[in-house]
Amino acid sequence: MAPRSSSSLVLGCGLALAILAVGSLPSRVSAMGFPRPQPDLNFTIGVEGVVWCKGCRYAGYIQSRDASPLRNASALLRCRNGRRAMSVWGATNSRGYFLIQTGTQAAPFTSRHCRVYVPRSPARGCAAAVSPGWKKGLPLKFRRFVTRPDGLQGRYVAGSFTFAPQDGSNC
């Protein structure tokens, strides 16, 4: 084996140090090869859900569910994180569907800080909260991000709220 010259030894050591230095720099890529999330990601919140009346045959009655969608039911998104709080109301359409959208950025809140409530039924004959009780509310489940003209929106699903007649037969 031929003896190494001092210049090749210096070059080899320099290359090794450069590789070591580059490898220890902070990276925007994790070990799995996925980009790290932006630490300052800020977005609005949108929450979807449905309100039903079990056992009553109102407009839009679905026999397989034995339920009718409740139109004009008020739904409330409430988020709390320490001293910060946010409440946004929405209403159901003719299919019992609601979409509550926050008008402001919701960075102080995560889905665990928020719940959705439907305090009462708009139908007198279907006023008993069955699932969930109105004081308990439902947690948010992340669905996807939606691009909107005002920025990014985290779209969540709250699920279904069900009401029924008080006495079981009076719709």
Side-chain angles (χ1 to χ4, degrees):
M1 183 182 256
R4 290 187 177 170
S5 69
S6 64
S7 63
S8 66
L9 188 58
V10 169
L11 181 63
C13 287
L15 184 57
L17 286 173
I19 291 171
L20 183 61
V22 168
S24 65
L25 288 175
S27 170
R28 299 231 12 119
V29 178
S30 69
M32 296 296 293
F34 297 111
R36 290 185 183 166
Q38 297 292 327
D40 58 351
L41 183 62
N42 200 356
F43 54 89
T44 60
I45 295 175
V47 182
E48 302 173 314
V50 181
V51 182
W52 297 98
C53 177
K54 187 84 170 158
C56 292
R57 293 181 184 244
Y58 296 133
Y61 176 77
I62 298 174
Q63 188 172 5
S64 63
R65 286 189 68 107
D66 186 31
S68 301
L70 282 177
R71 177 183 208 154
N72 295 325
S74 295
L76 171 64
L77 168 66
R78 180 171 288 154
C79 301
R80 290 186 183 153
N81 183 8
R83 291 183 171 189
R84 295 179 186 231
M86 174 177 65
S87 296
V88 182
W89 288 91
T92 59
N93 64 15
S94 62
R95 295 174 303 163
Y97 169 83
F98 64 84
L99 173 60
I100 301 171
Q101 300 184 75
T102 63
T104 59
Q105 301 296 308
F109 307 105
T110 63
S111 60
R112 66 184 171 90
H113 296 124
C114 302
R115 293 187 82 75
V116 176
Y117 303 88
V118 176
R120 64 187 158 276
S121 167
R124 276 192 219 169
C126 195
V130 175
S131 171
W134 77 269
K135 290 183 178 181
K136 186 176 179 182
L138 289 174
L140 309 184
K141 295 176 186 157
F142 180 76
R143 178 67 61 129
R144 66 187 182 279
F145 278 110
V146 176
T147 303
R148 297 182 29 92
D150 59 347
L152 201 58
Q153 181 181 80
R155 187 66 58 91
Y156 294 83
V157 175
S160 295
F161 293 84
T162 306
F163 291 86
Q166 294 280 5
D167 65 10
S169 64
N170 187 11
C171 290

